Amino acid sequence: MYLRYVSLLFPLFFHEISGIPNEKPIIIIGAGPAGIAAATRLLENGIDNILILEAEPRIGGRIYSTKFGDTNVDMGAMWCHGQEGNIVWEKLVDMNLTDLVRSTQHPRTFHISSRKELGKDFEQKLYDIMMEILDSEQAEENESVGFAFGKMYNKSITEQFGNDREKLNYARAASKWLEHVTMSIEGSLSWYDSKSKTTYEECGGNQHLNWRGPGYKIFLDILMKKYPTGSNPLPIDDKILLSKEVTKVLWNPAATRNRVEIACADGSSYVASHVVFTPSLGVLKERGEEMFVPRLPERKMIAIKRVGMGAVMKVFLHYPRRWWRDEVAFNLVWDENDRKNVRNEFTQGPWMNGESWITRLYSIEMLEENPKVLLVWITGDVVPALENTDEKTLLSGIEFTLKKFLGHLYDIPKPDKVLRSNWYSNPHFRGSYSFQSLSSTDNNIPDLLEPLRTSNGSYIIQFAGEATSPTHFSTVQGAVESGYREADRLIGLYKYPLLINSLVH
Ligand SMILES: Cc1cc2nc3c(=O)[nH]c(=O)nc-3n(C[C@H](O)[C@H](O)[C@H](O)COP(=O)(O)OP(=O)(O)OC[C@H]3O[C@@H](n4cnc5c(N)ncnc54)[C@H](O)[C@@H]3O)c2cc1C
Ligand SMILES: *[C@@H]1O[C@H](CO)[C@@H](O)[C@H](O)[C@H]1NC(C)=O
Ligand SMILES: *[C@@H]1O[C@H](CO)[C@@H](O)[C@H](O)[C@H]1NC(C)=O
Ligand SMILES: *[C@@H]1O[C@H](CO)[C@@H](O)[C@H](O)[C@H]1NC(C)=O
Ligand SMILES: *[C@@H]1O[C@H](CO)[C@@H](O)[C@H](O)[C@H]1NC(C)=O
């Protein structure tokens, strides 16, 4: 009777998941850190009737370590942010940490396009002003981070350099550097998009623990107990189906049995009693409205709209030889005149507000383990357009910029290999990480994570992923915590059904 009802409502061909003996299969959508954390938690608790559907041909999601140069590089997450109360760090305590992470150093100096030298002391003072602002806790309700930081920065530089025209001008130009670093932290396309006062809680300790050669991917191996070698790996591999893009999630709130039908882009379909949905907020923004039948509750739709998602871009360059000296990174500051003049000097590729995309290039990092590779960071408004710009244009812009800033210091060869990210254009991500936008409110994240329930209150579709973490959104630790949170709901349901019954009724 029920089956007929369902197939009338949703005329969809579907079949039961084969090889799952239990009556209550759990399907996890997405094999990023949230999905993998949820699966490993279930497996560790003896629940192995699970299946993971992953759209990409690889696992890991926004953890994406891939071979480039001498080691792996991280196209996505690359740092463990903090130690205190950080679930990622806690997983490492029994390991040989020197093998896994190291502390990133930061250059406290700048290169300016005018090549003017105002002294290392001045540059370090400027850098300290910026770091103090980035660390500051004072923030007002409904104020954008751009406005709040801009105000503090303007005040500090006027106080410190007010009677030195040249330094003040340099410092004004350098505010763009602060702007780009802020956008790399927020993941927003403008620093006026994100709120300065949010529910984010920083884990204390070192914010930039860099993964060594294997990259962040090794953390997934730790979750799956594949690392260190010799431990007992969890049987997760044969539960993951790759290149399975979910297009529809159908459920019936009034049914008497928990039953969700999942349709995939390749024409296959699956049935589950419980679904844990982990794709990014970007995916929900683009497809959330039509993916779920019936439509997601209004509160969740509002949250999906209001919580922000932008993108950052990384370009890795491999050179035939290491041409730079012992620096840690090049922090680039565009002189105000150069910023205008470059319009006539370099005309290829996208423009934003009448400015060339190359003025959005603000930091070029060296990688300790990978001596011939540079990492170019680009943040802000130009990222979506730049992801779709051809490689030749991208490379000639980077080459132009390097010559402009460093041509008098170095003889710079052409790179022989390039690797670039496309988080914004990839339909399985549509952005890099979430942020609290100016229009978001504190109840938005709780609304995002709220499970869908059947009429008797039982969970049927649950939501995990970075963006559903009220305190650690935008990070891997937030994603992992959210996966554990949703696995724990299911463990409660499966292992202590009587307790749950009495809570629900
Ligand atoms: C450039 C960049 C730098 C970052 N740097 C850091 C950092 O240094 N430190 C840090 O802590 N965090 C960093 N992050 C953030 C971190 O990577 C994310 O917070 C985290 O990976 C999110 O995990 P998740 O499981 O929530 O989502 P994801 O990693 O996005 O996993 C979701 C999975 O769902 C899959 N999926 C999507 N749509 C579908 C569909 N329709 N059907 C089936 N599967 C689907 C995706 O392919 C993906 O594998 C960075 C992210 C980026 C992009
Ligand atoms: C940890 O790793 C480092 C570097 O690989 C090595 O020198 C050291 O001996 C290791 N320590 C232990 C306890 O295994
Ligand atoms: C901040 O904005 C929200 C939503 O726009 C509003 O509800 C709230 O009252 C505002 N708070 C302040 C202090 O202005
Ligand atoms: C800070 O000063 C710049 C000019 O250097 C100005 O454009 C900006 O609006 C100021 N920011 C704030 C918040 O006052
Ligand atoms: C609640 O209803 C679902 C079907 O919607 C059913 O599968 C589940 O067993 C019920 N749970 C309880 C506690 O009655």
Side-chain angles (χ1 to χ4, degrees):
M1 163 71 185
Y2 167 73
L3 271 175
R4 263 181 38 211
Y5 170 62
V6 165
S7 33
L8 276 176
L9 260 185
F10 314 121
L12 211 159
F13 172 83
F14 63 87
H15 57 84
E16 298 280 350
I17 303 159
S18 55
I20 294 181
N22 202 298
E23 288 264 316
K24 300 171 172 173
I26 295 168
I27 292 185
I28 297 169
I29 303 178
I36 289 177
T40 54
R41 183 80 137 213
L42 291 169
L43 290 170
E44 280 168 332
N45 282 275
I47 298 173
D48 64 358
N49 50 343
I50 62 175
L51 183 69
I52 308 175
L53 301 175
E54 167 55 53
E56 290 278 316
R58 59 170 183 90
I59 69 160
R62 284 169 275 169
I63 289 182
Y64 184 14
S65 316
T66 185
K67 184 89 201 302
F68 189 74
D70 290 355
T71 63
N72 279 352
V73 293
D74 277 311
M75 297 279 271
M78 74 189 282
W79 294 297
C80 171
H81 295 304
Q83 292 138 308
E84 289 155 35
N86 184 336
I87 202 157
V88 171
W89 182 256
E90 281 162 12
K91 294 272 164 199
L92 309 180
V93 288
D94 298 333
M95 317 267 159
N96 186 348
L97 288 173
T98 50
D99 275 352
L100 297 172
V101 286
R102 66 176 161 79
S103 167
T104 308
Q105 298 188 46
H106 293 281
R108 300 167 66 228
T109 56
F110 297 92
H111 292 271
I112 188 160
S113 54
S114 63
R115 300 177 176 181
K116 183 155 279 168
E117 294 278 349
L118 290 181
K120 296 289 166 233
D121 285 354
F122 162 70
E123 289 177 24
Q124 294 189 3
K125 202 180 256 173
L126 196 58
Y127 184 82
D128 290 342
I129 290 174
M130 295 187 191
M131 292 306 119
E132 203 175 302
I133 290 172
L134 288 173
D135 282 346
S136 66
E137 306 242 314
Q138 30 167 318
E140 290 187 39
E141 201 82 44
N142 292 358
E143 203 171 73
S144 75
V145 71
F147 186 77
F149 284 6
K151 213 167 46 177
M152 283 188 255
Y153 185 73
N154 287 357
K155 185 160 172 278
S156 291
I157 60 171
T158 313
E159 275 168 17
Q160 300 255 0
F161 315 119
N163 43 27
D164 185 331
R165 193 96 236 121
E166 209 170 25
K167 286 186 176 150
L168 192 62
N169 279 343
Y170 192 125
R172 283 206 181 118
S175 73
K176 292 283 180 193
W177 191 85
L178 176 64
E179 191 174 329
H180 282 285
V181 170
T182 305
M183 290 185 289
S184 81
I185 296 168
E186 302 285 327
S188 58
L189 298 182
S190 156
W191 75 338
Y192 296 114
D193 284 351
S194 54
K195 252 197 219 183
S196 66
K197 189 174 175 158
T198 72
T199 55
Y200 187 82
E201 288 169 17
E202 190 171 287
C203 299
N206 192 330
Q207 295 307 305
H208 290 97
L209 292 158
N210 213 319
W211 294 87
R212 285 189 177 276
Y216 216 138
K217 190 172 158 185
I218 196 148
F219 171 71
L220 298 175
D221 291 337
I222 293 172
L223 279 182
M224 298 183 288
K225 297 205 158 67
K226 293 180 179 178
Y227 181 93
T229 36
S231 36
N232 215 352
L234 291 167
I236 191 172
D237 287 351
D238 56 352
K239 306 201 184 298
I240 304 178
L241 298 181
L242 296 174
S243 303
K244 280 282 177 190
E245 183 189 281
V246 171
T247 52
K248 283 268 186 250
V249 180
L250 313 174
W251 64 294
N252 179 357
T256 51
R257 252 181 84 205
N258 260 30
R259 188 180 180 85
V260 187
E261 295 174 42
I262 295 172
C264 296
D266 64 0
S268 59
S269 50
Y270 300 87
V271 175
S273 300
H274 295 276
V275 167
V276 180
F277 185 90
T278 75
S280 75
L281 177 65
V283 170
L284 280 172
K285 278 181 188 289
E286 184 176 58
R287 304 165 74 172
E289 178 121 37
E290 26 99 32
M291 191 185 280
F292 292 87
V293 181
R295 195 174 181 269
L296 292 173
E298 195 52 27
R299 291 175 67 97
K300 204 181 277 293
M301 289 308 298
I302 289 172
I304 291 169
K305 267 200 200 93
R306 290 202 175 160
V307 180
M309 182 96 171
V312 307
M313 183 169 175
K314 290 181 181 181
V315 182
F316 293 93
L317 302 171
H318 182 272
Y319 287 93
R321 62 184 167 85
R322 182 186 165 106
W323 53 263
W324 51 94
R325 282 182 289 273
D326 206 15
E327 300 205 44
V328 187
F330 301 119
N331 293 330
L332 308 184
V333 170
W334 283 87
D335 172 84
E336 281 309 320
N337 288 325
D338 288 337
R339 183 178 278 278
K340 288 188 199 110
N341 292 339
V342 76
R343 244 176 272 184
N344 311 317
E345 295 168 25
F346 186 85
T347 54
Q348 305 164 49
W351 293 78
M352 287 289 151
N353 290 325
E355 295 181 333
S356 163
W357 65 272
I358 60 173
T359 61
R360 270 52 171 173
L361 214 151
Y362 71 101
S363 169
I364 302 175
E365 261 181 67
M366 288 112 218
L367 306 172
E368 200 167 293
E369 279 79 21
N370 217 336
K372 292 180 194 159
V373 171
L374 289 180
L375 163 54
V376 179
W377 284 91
I378 299 148
T379 60
D381 53 7
V382 83
V383 171
L386 199 57
E387 283 191 0
N388 294 315
T389 300
D390 63 282
E391 191 166 303
K392 191 163 161 281
T393 305
L394 184 72
L395 283 178
S396 62
I398 293 174
E399 198 180 339
F400 177 93
T401 309
L402 285 172
K403 285 237 164 71
K404 178 136 200 106
F405 282 85
L406 307 164
H408 59 308
L409 301 173
Y410 293 105
D411 170 24
I412 307 168
K414 281 191 191 305
D416 53 19
K417 267 185 285 180
V418 56
L419 181 69
R420 56 198 284 200
S421 66
N422 67 341
W423 298 107
Y424 196 83
S425 340
N426 187 326
H428 302 144
F429 301 96
R430 291 287 185 230
S432 53
Y433 28 90
S434 67
F435 61 90
Q436 289 185 337
S437 75
L438 265 188
S439 69
S440 70
T441 53
D442 287 354
N443 60 316
N444 287 156
I445 297 179
D447 287 347
L448 265 186
L449 73 85
E450 183 65 22
L452 304 181
R453 297 164 194 260
T454 55
S455 48
N456 66 9
S458 139
Y459 317 120
I460 180 157
I461 300 175
Q462 295 161 248
F463 295 83
E466 160 268 307
T468 72
S469 167
T471 53
H472 295 144
F473 55 87
S474 81
T475 64
V476 173
Q477 67 263 29
V480 171
E481 284 169 347
S482 74
Y484 284 169
R485 176 190 70 217
E486 297 310 321
D488 287 346
R489 283 193 215 268
L490 289 169
I491 292 162
L493 201 65
Y494 279 49
K495 284 206 157 167
Y496 313 103
L498 291 176
L499 181 65
I500 294 292
N501 271 347
S502 62
L503 287 178
V504 166
H505 294 291

